[in-house]
Amino acid sequence: HLYRTGDKTQLFTDLNEFPVIQQLKLEIQNVLSKLQEHRREIRLILRKPSLDYVTVSGQEFLIEVRNSLLSIIPNDWTQISSTKAVIRFHTPFIVEQHKRLCQLREQLILACNAEWLKLLD
């Protein structure tokens, strides 16, 4: 049913035959690992050992902070969104890595589509 949903990035299971796809998937995993590692720093800065990223309206890797803690937020963090109770941020590292992740995901989609078309020939 994967071919019906249109997500060709999950079609290729034996990646040895598809080195470009394999490399892109490795790079994506690498970026995701870096983002998970970065969480440690954020937890220390905010003194919140269990802090995890949230995803809101498709925005990934958001750091959600209660408005009352605004004073401890570093100046270089970018505010992404807010509610009455919380403000959501990206650190400069998250901005940079998320941009890279989006590029890699896009390249992966293009590579998978190209391989899919080759298989159809």
Side-chain angles (χ1 to χ4, degrees), residues 83-96:
T83 67
K84 283 182 182 169
V86 297
I87 302 177
R88 299 183 192 102
F89 294 92
H90 275 166
T91 66
F93 182 82
I94 293 172
V95 170
E96 171 194 310

Side-chain angles (χ1 to χ4, degrees), residues 45-62:
I45 291 168
L46 299 178
R47 296 182 201 91
K48 294 217 170 280
S50 63
L51 178 121
D52 215 339
Y53 295 123
V54 295
T55 299
V56 178
S57 304
Q59 279 275 5
E60 298 177 283
F61 308 107
L62 294 170

